[in-house]
Amino acid sequence: MEWEAVIGLEIHAELETNSKMFCRCPVVDVTVADPNTAVCVVCTGQPGVLPVINRRAVEFAIMVGLALNCEIADFNKFDRKNYFYPDLPKGYQISQYDYPIAKNGYLMIDLPDGSTKRIRIRRAHLEEDTAKNTHLSDGTSLVDFNRSGIPLLEIVTEPDIHSAEEAEAFGRKLRAILQYLGVNSGDMSKGVLRMEPNISVRPMGSDELRTRTEVKNLNSIRNMFRASEEEIKRQIKVWEAGGAVEQETRGWDEVRQTTVLQRSKESAHDYRYFPEPDLPVLHIAREWVEEIRARMPELPDAKRERYLGGYGLGAYDAGVLVADRAIGDYFEAAVKAGGDPKTVANWITGQIFRLMNQSGLEREQINEIPITPETLVALIGLIDNNTINNNTAKRVLDILYAEGGDPAAIVKAHGLAQETDTSILQQAIDDVLQANPSEIERWKNGEEKVAKFLMGQVMRALGGKADAQLIQQLLQESLTNFG
Ligand code: ADP
Ligand code: MG
Ligand code: ZN
């Protein structure tokens, strides 16, 4: 039987405001800051304190809602979601239950085959993050309240996603939008962005919704893709063996590359939601929404159109360049520095990505490489003015990537400038032809490819540092004139 996956995503995105959701504590990088240094009586849940809504967090949520084509609610209410856990000092989380700030939207995702697909967004609501528990091997548990109260936007999709590839495409597009809006760094390894797929499978062609599992603790989009893939396979196996998939929360075992049971279905959620009595109802004025809409930054789809039209890039390059805001910024800085758009795009998506992959850098970390956009343009300039050829430029790029510095200076220090003195080039050609009389015979008998071999020999004799076109031209002439 053929099976179809059904996936809905729940995403938690911390909003990178200056202060927390309901208090004045700064929002810090919890993977770096000393524990419990950004805390106060409000975010540690002391009795008698009052929360105050962070206006900027609401504004960020509206921006995300608009970018996801949602209706922005006029009437907003906060609710208490009650449960006990050591990372939740109040015994409840302030969230939005029946009146989320945004709902009924959609996101167009870009699939690997070049097609697009619309994924409906059910809702997005504001809440506060919990503290962070760390469990040590000796049985001790530590709580860091720096994260407690950081603004959090929970985004929930409809179950419109039907493969691990689509889940990945959704994740990439959403992350790009959050980065473009400047509301979230997108760094899943730090936990500031968390994506949890709800997964079920059903016979292809049916529209039933079978029991789903939820996969948590995915620290990268790559892992979300892999976990979805494996979980889909696992469920198909269960059904095909005559069993039934249980509703449960599963985690991702990176080492074994498989999903593992974390906890089985908890008794039906009973959070005893009720309206947060310490916060007023929040009305969002239409004028405010329109004012925010008017100053929304350019988003990935619009940027891609601009790259396709204005810069004449191909669809693939344009898609890759806009997929991470940092890459697009790098590309545009290089073009601004005088680089030819197509050439710059090639160098970024080819050589620079190769080097970044080798050193394990994510695309959004392009600003951390020791090659600035201006340096890249300077390197391309050395090819354009025939100082070095393409292959040498790749060597220079490797050196730049390792050590930084100035391309021209590196060419000089390493003696990489190409030989342009035609008498020296001609000498090298003559030497090679002298040494290969039988190849010349074959060439004369019409074996064109021999020229390529001879070309390689000449290039090698010159240490790879020569203008390939010039050599080809000289070689062709020499061959014709020879004997
Ligand atoms: P809850 O409120 O209990 O978390 P929801 O019905 O709100 O459950 O759904 C949470 C997420 O799970 C949504 O993204 C939704 O699209 C998805 N989902 C719901 N039912 C299924 C199913 N049978 N298979 C896959 N995903 C599902
Ligand atoms: Mg849920
Ligand atoms: Zn605080």
Side-chain angles (χ1 to χ4, degrees):
M1 180 160 48
E2 261 210 272
W3 294 85
E4 177 181 53
V6 179
I7 305 175
L9 289 177
E10 285 175 85
I11 298 102
H12 285 90
E14 282 184 2
L15 298 175
E16 290 169 358
T17 47
N18 292 326
S19 58
K20 289 186 180 179
M21 187 67 221
F22 300 113
C23 64
R24 307 168 67 155
C25 290
V27 169
V28 297
D29 181 343
V30 299
T31 63
V32 174
D34 285 333
N36 298 309
T37 51
V39 296
C40 72
V41 290
V42 174
C43 55
T44 53
Q46 309 298 311
V49 297
L50 288 173
V52 177
I53 300 170
N54 181 335
R55 180 188 168 94
R56 190 101 175 113
V58 176
E59 182 177 329
F60 280 4
I62 293 172
M63 287 166 67
V64 176
L66 290 175
L68 297 179
N69 305 292
C70 289
E71 299 159 18
I72 307 299
D74 163 14
F75 180 89
N76 275 265
K77 177 168 78 68
F78 287 92
D79 302 278
R80 289 188 179 182
K81 179 180 180 180
N82 298 281
Y83 65 98
F84 171 80
Y85 207 62
D87 64 11
L88 193 67
K90 297 195 293 289
Y92 60 86
Q93 178 190 33
I94 305 180
S95 182
Q96 292 187 299
Y97 183 51
D98 43 2
Y99 289 93
I101 187 164
K103 60 180 185 190
N104 299 337
Y106 65 87
L107 179 63
M108 298 304 292
I109 61 169
D110 310 293
L111 298 171
D113 67 0
S115 64
T116 60
K117 187 176 171 186
R118 177 192 288 240
I119 307 297
R120 287 171 299 158
I121 307 292
R122 180 181 296 175
R123 58 184 277 155
H125 67 255
L126 272 166
E127 54 189 32
E128 55 179 338
D129 211 344
T130 58
K132 192 166 169 41
N133 289 340
T134 303
H135 305 291
L136 303 183
S137 53
D138 68 358
T140 315
S141 288
L142 305 171
V143 189
D144 178 9
F145 289 93
N146 284 348
R147 203 178 72 175
S148 176
I150 290 181
L152 203 57
L153 189 68
E154 177 172 339
I155 302 164
V156 183
T157 78
E158 294 294 341
D160 288 348
I161 296 166
H162 294 295
S163 67
E165 287 76 18
E166 291 182 8
E168 173 177 358
F170 184 94
R172 292 204 182 284
K173 190 66 168 282
L174 178 66
R175 185 173 67 170
I177 285 174
L178 297 174
Q179 290 173 335
Y180 273 62
L181 293 173
V183 305
N184 185 288
S185 69
D187 192 343
M188 289 177 66
S189 68
K190 286 189 170 172
V192 298
L193 180 61
R194 316 193 274 272
M195 301 192 188
E196 287 153 12
N198 291 267
I199 302 175
S200 65
V201 298
R202 65 187 173 196
M204 187 65 86
S206 107
D207 58 5
E208 65 180 314
L209 283 178
R210 293 200 176 189
T211 306
R212 67 185 145 109
T213 62
E214 183 171 356
V215 187
K216 286 190 187 284
N217 298 340
L218 301 169
N219 60 7
S220 68
I221 288 182
R222 174 82 201 146
N223 279 347
M224 181 181 66
F225 169 79
R226 285 288 300 129
S228 302
E229 219 174 27
E230 291 305 318
E231 180 59 15
I232 293 166
K233 276 193 219 156
R234 187 190 70 83
Q235 290 188 13
I236 293 174
K237 250 196 208 146
V238 169
W239 290 118
E240 290 195 333
V245 169
E246 305 280 342
Q247 179 164 348
E248 57 197 23
T249 301
R250 301 181 68 86
W252 175 239
D253 185 331
E254 174 106 50
V255 178
R256 291 168 50 218
Q257 292 285 298
T258 175
T259 68
V260 289
L261 177 66
Q262 280 191 336
R263 46 196 152 88
S264 44
K265 185 187 164 97
E266 309 121 70
S267 46
H269 290 169
D270 191 359
Y271 291 123
R272 299 282 155 144
Y273 278 100
F274 65 84
E276 166 61 65
D278 290 339
L279 286 172
V281 156
L282 173 69
H283 281 283
I284 295 177
R286 282 303 91 188
E287 300 80 63
W288 192 28
V289 174
E290 291 316 313
E291 187 248 314
I292 292 170
R293 194 196 303 276
R295 60 179 162 79
M296 290 275 280
E298 183 184 44
L299 295 176
D301 286 347
K303 181 172 276 194
R304 187 177 47 200
E305 287 310 307
R306 186 159 60 79
Y307 285 7
L308 287 172
Y311 292 135
L313 298 184
Y316 174 79
D317 277 350
V320 171
L321 292 175
V322 306
D324 287 273
R325 179 176 165 181
I327 300 290
D329 288 348
Y330 189 97
F331 166 73
E332 287 189 44
V335 171
K336 203 165 164 204
D340 166 62
K342 276 188 185 168
T343 313
V344 168
N346 276 338
W347 278 90
I348 294 175
T349 60
Q351 299 305 314
I352 290 189
F353 282 181
R354 169 181 64 86
L355 290 164
M356 288 173 69
N357 287 346
Q358 276 169 13
S359 52
L361 286 189
E362 298 290 334
R363 299 276 160 90
E364 65 245 32
Q365 291 174 296
I366 193 166
N367 294 322
E368 294 168 27
I369 71 172
I371 305 169
T372 64
E374 292 73 20
T375 307
L376 176 63
V377 173
L379 177 65
I380 294 170
L382 295 178
I383 307 170
D384 289 345
N385 69 17
N386 274 325
T387 306
I388 53 176
N389 63 23
N390 245 302
N391 278 331
T392 307
K394 287 178 197 162
R395 285 169 63 188
V396 177
L397 193 78
D398 286 353
I399 297 169
L400 285 168
Y401 191 82
E403 305 166 1
D406 170 60
I410 288 172
V411 167
K412 202 163 174 202
H414 293 254
L416 293 172
Q418 64 187 357
E419 189 53 70
T420 47
D421 184 337
T422 40
S423 65
I424 291 180
L425 297 182
Q426 191 59 55
Q427 188 57 56
I429 290 171
D430 291 345
D431 291 348
V432 166
L433 293 187
Q434 292 286 358
N436 293 282
S438 59
E439 269 67 25
I440 296 169
E441 274 315 306
R442 288 167 60 195
W443 183 82
K444 282 188 175 159
N445 293 330
E447 274 192 63
E448 286 287 334
K449 65 174 195 289
V450 174
K452 219 174 201 166
F453 165 77
L454 294 170
M455 167 92 190
Q457 294 298 305
V458 176
M459 203 44 128
R460 183 189 290 179
L462 293 164
K465 298 175 293 184
D467 180 339
Q469 255 178 325
L470 185 53
I471 296 189
Q472 192 161 14
Q473 185 194 326
L474 293 173
L475 179 63
Q476 208 67 26
E477 286 166 13
S478 301
L479 278 168
T480 317
N481 298 337
F482 207 83

Coordinates of all heavy atoms in Angstrom, one line a residue, residues 137-199:
S137 N 24.8 14.8 35.6 CA 24.8 13.3 35.7 C 24.8 12.8 37.2 O 24.4 11.6 37.4 CB 26.1 12.8 35.0 OG 27.2 13.5 35.6
D138 N 25.1 13.6 38.1 CA 25.0 13.2 39.5 C 23.6 13.2 40.1 O 23.4 13.0 41.3 CB 26.0 13.9 40.4 CG 25.6 15.4 40.6 OD1 24.6 15.8 40.0 OD2 26.3 16.1 41.3
G139 N 22.7 13.6 39.3 CA 21.3 13.6 39.7 C 20.8 15.0 40.1 O 19.7 15.3 40.4
T140 N 21.8 16.0 40.2 CA 21.4 17.3 40.5 C 20.7 18.0 39.3 O 21.1 17.8 38.2 CB 22.7 18.2 40.8 OG1 23.5 17.4 41.7 CG2 22.3 19.5 41.5
S141 N 19.7 18.9 39.6 CA 19.1 19.7 38.5 C 19.3 21.1 38.8 O 19.2 21.5 40.0 CB 17.7 19.3 38.4 OG 17.5 18.0 37.8
L142 N 19.6 21.9 37.8 CA 19.9 23.3 38.0 C 18.8 24.1 37.2 O 18.4 23.6 36.1 CB 21.3 23.7 37.5 CG 22.4 22.9 38.1 CD1 23.7 23.2 37.4 CD2 22.6 23.3 39.6
V143 N 18.4 25.2 37.7 CA 17.4 26.0 36.9 C 18.0 27.4 36.7 O 18.5 28.1 37.6 CB 16.1 26.2 37.7 CG1 15.1 26.9 36.9 CG2 15.6 24.9 38.3
D144 N 18.0 27.8 35.4 CA 18.5 29.1 35.0 C 17.2 30.0 34.6 O 16.6 29.7 33.6 CB 19.4 29.0 33.8 CG 19.9 30.4 33.3 OD1 19.6 31.4 34.0 OD2 20.6 30.4 32.3
F145 N 17.0 31.0 35.3 CA 15.8 31.8 35.1 C 16.0 32.9 34.0 O 15.1 33.7 33.8 CB 15.2 32.4 36.4 CG 14.6 31.3 37.2 CD1 15.3 30.7 38.2 CD2 13.2 31.0 37.0 CE1 14.7 29.7 39.0 CE2 12.6 30.0 37.8 CZ 13.4 29.3 38.8
N146 N 17.2 33.0 33.5 CA 17.5 34.0 32.5 C 16.4 33.9 31.3 O 16.0 34.9 30.8 CB 18.9 33.9 31.9 CG 19.9 34.4 32.8 OD1 19.6 35.1 33.8 ND2 21.2 34.2 32.5
R147 N 16.1 32.7 31.0 CA 15.2 32.5 29.9 C 13.7 32.7 30.3 O 12.8 32.9 29.5 CB 15.3 31.0 29.3 CG 14.9 30.9 27.9 CD 15.1 29.5 27.4 NE 14.2 28.6 27.9 CZ 14.1 27.3 27.6 NH1 14.9 26.8 26.6 NH2 13.2 26.5 28.1
S148 N 13.4 32.6 31.6 CA 12.1 32.8 32.1 C 11.5 34.1 31.7 O 12.0 35.2 32.1 CB 12.0 32.6 33.6 OG 10.8 32.8 34.1
G149 N 10.4 34.1 30.9 CA 9.8 35.4 30.6 C 10.3 36.0 29.3 O 9.8 37.1 28.9
I150 N 11.2 35.4 28.6 CA 11.5 35.9 27.3 C 10.3 35.8 26.4 O 9.6 34.8 26.4 CB 12.8 35.1 26.7 CG1 14.0 35.5 27.5 CG2 12.9 35.5 25.2 CD1 15.3 34.8 27.0
P151 N 10.0 36.8 25.6 CA 8.8 36.8 24.7 C 8.9 35.6 23.8 O 10.0 35.4 23.2 CB 8.8 38.1 24.0 CG 9.7 39.0 24.7 CD 10.7 38.1 25.4
L152 N 7.8 34.9 23.6 CA 7.8 33.7 22.7 C 6.6 33.8 21.8 O 5.5 34.2 22.3 CB 7.7 32.5 23.6 CG 8.2 31.1 23.1 CD1 9.6 31.2 22.7 CD2 8.0 30.1 24.2
L153 N 6.8 33.5 20.6 CA 5.7 33.5 19.6 C 5.5 32.0 19.2 O 6.4 31.4 18.7 CB 5.9 34.3 18.4 CG 4.7 34.5 17.5 CD1 3.7 35.4 18.1 CD2 5.2 35.2 16.2
E154 N 4.3 31.5 19.5 CA 4.0 30.1 19.1 C 3.2 30.1 17.8 O 2.2 30.8 17.7 CB 3.3 29.3 20.1 CG 3.0 27.9 19.6 CD 2.4 26.9 20.6 OE1 2.6 27.1 21.8 OE2 1.8 25.9 20.1
I155 N 3.8 29.5 16.8 CA 3.1 29.5 15.4 C 2.7 28.0 15.2 O 3.4 27.1 15.3 CB 4.1 29.9 14.3 CG1 4.6 31.3 14.7 CG2 3.4 29.9 13.0 CD1 5.9 31.7 13.9
V156 N 1.4 27.9 14.8 CA 0.9 26.5 14.5 C 0.3 26.4 13.1 O -0.5 27.3 12.7 CB -0.2 26.2 15.5 CG1 -0.7 24.8 15.3 CG2 0.2 26.4 17.0
T157 N 0.8 25.4 12.4 CA 0.3 25.3 11.0 C -0.9 24.3 11.0 O -1.1 23.5 11.9 CB 1.3 24.7 10.0 OG1 1.5 23.3 10.2 CG2 2.7 25.4 10.2
E158 N -1.7 24.3 9.9 CA -2.6 23.2 9.6 C -1.8 22.0 9.2 O -0.7 22.2 8.7 CB -3.6 23.7 8.5 CG -4.5 24.8 8.9 CD -5.5 24.5 10.1 OE1 -5.7 23.2 10.3 OE2 -6.0 25.4 10.7
P159 N -2.4 20.8 9.2 CA -1.7 19.6 8.8 C -1.6 19.5 7.3 O -2.1 18.6 6.7 CB -2.4 18.5 9.4 CG -3.8 19.0 9.7 CD -3.7 20.5 9.8
D160 N -1.0 20.5 6.7 CA -0.9 20.6 5.2 C 0.4 20.1 4.6 O 0.6 20.2 3.4 CB -1.1 22.1 4.8 CG -2.5 22.6 5.0 OD1 -3.4 21.8 5.2 OD2 -2.7 23.9 4.9
I161 N 1.3 19.7 5.5 CA 2.6 19.3 5.0 C 2.6 17.8 4.8 O 2.1 17.0 5.7 CB 3.6 19.7 6.1 CG1 3.6 21.3 6.2 CG2 5.0 19.2 5.8 CD1 4.3 21.8 7.4
H162 N 3.1 17.3 3.7 CA 3.0 15.9 3.4 C 4.3 15.1 3.1 O 4.3 14.1 2.5 CB 2.0 15.7 2.2 CG 0.6 16.2 2.6 ND1 -0.1 15.5 3.5 CD2 -0.1 17.2 2.1 CE1 -1.3 16.1 3.6 NE2 -1.3 17.2 2.8
S163 N 5.4 15.7 3.5 CA 6.6 15.0 3.4 C 7.7 15.7 4.3 O 7.5 16.8 4.7 CB 7.1 14.9 1.9 OG 7.5 16.2 1.5
A164 N 8.8 15.0 4.5 CA 9.9 15.6 5.3 C 10.5 16.7 4.5 O 10.9 17.7 5.1 CB 10.9 14.5 5.5
E165 N 10.5 16.6 3.1 CA 11.0 17.7 2.3 C 10.2 19.0 2.5 O 10.7 20.1 2.5 CB 11.0 17.3 0.8 CG 12.1 16.3 0.4 CD 11.7 14.9 0.8 OE1 10.5 14.6 1.1 OE2 12.6 14.0 0.9
E166 N 8.9 18.8 2.5 CA 8.0 20.0 2.7 C 8.2 20.6 4.1 O 8.2 21.8 4.2 CB 6.5 19.6 2.4 CG 6.2 19.3 1.0 CD 4.8 18.9 0.7 OE1 3.9 19.1 1.6 OE2 4.5 18.5 -0.4
A167 N 8.4 19.7 5.1 CA 8.6 20.2 6.4 C 9.9 21.0 6.4 O 10.0 22.1 7.0 CB 8.7 19.1 7.4
E168 N 10.9 20.5 5.8 CA 12.2 21.3 5.7 C 12.0 22.6 5.0 O 12.5 23.6 5.4 CB 13.2 20.4 5.0 CG 14.5 21.2 4.8 CD 15.6 20.4 4.1 OE1 15.5 19.2 3.9 OE2 16.7 21.0 3.9
A169 N 11.3 22.6 3.9 CA 11.1 23.8 3.1 C 10.3 24.8 3.9 O 10.6 26.0 3.9 CB 10.3 23.5 1.8
F170 N 9.3 24.3 4.7 CA 8.6 25.2 5.5 C 9.5 25.9 6.6 O 9.5 27.1 6.8 CB 7.4 24.5 6.2 CG 6.6 25.5 7.0 CD1 5.4 26.0 6.5 CD2 6.9 25.8 8.3 CE1 4.6 26.9 7.3 CE2 6.2 26.7 9.1 CZ 5.0 27.2 8.6
G171 N 10.3 25.0 7.2 CA 11.2 25.5 8.2 C 12.2 26.5 7.7 O 12.4 27.5 8.3
R172 N 12.7 26.2 6.5 CA 13.7 27.2 6.0 C 13.1 28.5 5.6 O 13.6 29.6 5.9 CB 14.3 26.6 4.7 CG 15.2 25.4 5.0 CD 16.3 25.2 3.9 NE 17.0 24.0 4.3 CZ 18.0 23.9 5.3 NH1 18.3 25.0 5.9 NH2 18.6 22.8 5.5
K173 N 11.8 28.5 5.1 CA 11.2 29.7 4.7 C 10.8 30.5 5.9 O 11.0 31.7 5.9 CB 10.0 29.4 3.8 CG 9.3 30.6 3.1 CD 10.2 31.1 2.1 CE 9.6 32.1 1.1 NZ 8.8 31.5 0.1
L174 N 10.2 29.8 6.9 CA 9.8 30.5 8.1 C 11.0 31.2 8.8 O 11.0 32.3 9.2 CB 9.1 29.6 9.0 CG 8.7 30.3 10.4 CD1 7.6 31.4 10.1 CD2 8.1 29.3 11.4
R175 N 12.1 30.4 8.9 CA 13.3 30.9 9.5 C 13.8 32.1 8.8 O 14.2 33.1 9.4 CB 14.4 29.8 9.6 CG 15.6 30.3 10.4 CD 16.6 29.2 10.7 NE 17.2 28.8 9.5 CZ 18.2 28.0 9.4 NH1 18.7 27.5 10.6 NH2 18.8 27.7 8.3
A176 N 13.8 32.0 7.5 CA 14.3 33.2 6.7 C 13.5 34.4 7.0 O 14.0 35.5 7.2 CB 14.3 32.9 5.2
I177 N 12.2 34.2 7.1 CA 11.3 35.4 7.3 C 11.5 36.0 8.7 O 11.6 37.2 8.8 CB 9.8 34.9 7.2 CG1 9.5 34.8 5.7 CG2 8.8 35.9 7.8 CD1 8.1 34.2 5.3
L178 N 11.7 35.1 9.7 CA 12.0 35.7 11.0 C 13.3 36.4 11.0 O 13.4 37.5 11.7 CB 12.1 34.5 12.0 CG 10.8 33.7 12.3 CD1 11.0 32.5 13.2 CD2 9.7 34.6 12.8
Q179 N 14.3 35.9 10.3 CA 15.6 36.6 10.2 C 15.4 38.0 9.5 O 15.9 39.0 9.9 CB 16.6 35.8 9.5 CG 17.0 34.6 10.3 CD 17.9 33.6 9.5 OE1 17.9 33.6 8.3 NE2 18.8 32.8 10.2
Y180 N 14.7 37.9 8.4 CA 14.5 39.2 7.6 C 13.8 40.2 8.4 O 14.1 41.4 8.3 CB 13.6 38.9 6.3 CG 14.4 38.4 5.1 CD1 15.1 37.2 5.2 CD2 14.4 39.1 3.9 CE1 15.8 36.8 4.0 CE2 15.1 38.7 2.8 CZ 15.8 37.6 2.9 OH 16.5 37.1 1.8
L181 N 12.8 39.8 9.2 CA 12.1 40.7 10.1 C 12.9 41.2 11.2 O 12.6 42.2 11.9 CB 10.8 40.1 10.6 CG 9.7 39.7 9.6 CD1 8.6 39.0 10.2 CD2 9.2 41.0 8.9
G182 N 14.1 40.5 11.5 CA 14.9 40.9 12.6 C 14.3 40.6 13.9 O 14.7 41.3 14.9
V183 N 13.4 39.6 14.0 CA 12.8 39.3 15.3 C 13.4 38.1 15.9 O 13.2 37.8 17.1 CB 11.3 39.1 15.2 CG1 10.7 40.3 14.5 CG2 10.9 37.9 14.4
N184 N 14.2 37.3 15.2 CA 14.8 36.1 15.7 C 16.0 35.7 14.9 O 16.0 35.8 13.6 CB 13.7 34.9 15.6 CG 14.2 33.6 16.3 OD1 15.1 32.9 15.7 ND2 13.7 33.3 17.4
S185 N 17.1 35.3 15.5 CA 18.3 34.9 14.8 C 18.2 33.6 14.0 O 19.0 33.4 13.1 CB 19.5 34.8 15.8 OG 19.3 33.6 16.6
G186 N 17.2 32.8 14.3 CA 17.1 31.6 13.6 C 18.0 30.5 14.1 O 18.1 29.4 13.5
D187 N 18.7 30.7 15.2 CA 19.8 29.8 15.6 C 19.1 28.7 16.4 O 19.0 28.8 17.6 CB 20.8 30.5 16.4 CG 22.0 29.6 16.6 OD1 21.9 28.4 16.5 OD2 23.1 30.2 17.0
M188 N 18.7 27.6 15.8 CA 18.1 26.5 16.4 C 19.0 25.8 17.4 O 18.5 25.2 18.4 CB 17.5 25.5 15.4 CG 16.3 26.1 14.7 SD 15.6 25.0 13.4 CE 15.0 23.7 14.4
S189 N 20.3 25.8 17.2 CA 21.2 25.1 18.1 C 21.2 25.8 19.5 O 21.5 25.2 20.5 CB 22.6 25.1 17.5 OG 23.2 26.4 17.5
K190 N 20.8 27.1 19.5 CA 20.8 27.8 20.8 C 19.4 27.7 21.4 O 19.1 28.2 22.5 CB 21.2 29.2 20.6 CG 22.6 29.4 20.4 CD 23.0 30.9 20.5 CE 24.6 31.0 20.5 NZ 25.0 32.4 20.4
G191 N 18.5 27.1 20.7 CA 17.1 26.9 21.2 C 16.2 28.2 21.1 O 15.1 28.2 21.7
V192 N 16.7 29.2 20.5 CA 15.8 30.4 20.4 C 14.7 30.2 19.3 O 13.7 30.9 19.3 CB 16.6 31.7 20.0 CG1 17.7 32.0 21.1 CG2 17.3 31.6 18.7
L193 N 14.9 29.2 18.5 CA 13.9 28.8 17.5 C 13.7 27.3 17.6 O 14.7 26.6 17.5 CB 14.3 29.2 16.1 CG 13.3 28.9 15.0 CD1 12.0 29.6 15.2 CD2 13.9 29.3 13.6
R194 N 12.5 26.9 17.9 CA 12.3 25.4 18.1 C 11.1 25.0 17.2 O 10.1 25.6 17.1 CB 11.9 25.1 19.5 CG 12.9 25.9 20.5 CD 12.8 25.5 21.9 NE 11.7 26.1 22.7 CZ 11.9 27.2 23.4 NH1 13.0 27.9 23.4 NH2 10.9 27.7 24.2
M195 N 11.3 23.9 16.5 CA 10.3 23.4 15.5 C 9.9 22.0 15.9 O 10.8 21.1 15.9 CB 10.8 23.5 14.1 CG 11.2 24.9 13.7 SD 11.5 24.9 11.9 CE 12.2 26.6 11.7
E196 N 8.6 21.8 16.1 CA 8.2 20.4 16.5 C 7.1 19.9 15.5 O 6.0 20.4 15.4 CB 7.6 20.5 17.9 CG 8.7 20.7 18.9 CD 8.2 21.4 20.2 OE1 7.0 21.5 20.4 OE2 9.1 21.8 21.0
P197 N 7.5 18.9 14.7 CA 6.5 18.3 13.8 C 5.6 17.4 14.5 O 6.0 16.6 15.3 CB 7.4 17.6 12.8 CG 8.7 17.4 13.4 CD 8.8 18.3 14.6
N198 N 4.3 17.5 14.2 CA 3.2 16.5 14.6 C 3.1 15.6 13.3 O 2.8 16.2 12.3 CB 1.9 17.2 14.9 CG 2.0 18.0 16.2 OD1 1.7 17.5 17.3 ND2 2.5 19.2 16.1
I199 N 3.2 14.4 13.5 CA 3.3 13.5 12.3 C 2.3 12.3 12.4 O 2.2 11.7 13.5 CB 4.7 12.9 12.1 CG1 5.7 14.1 12.0 CG2 4.8 12.0 10.9 CD1 7.2 13.6 12.0

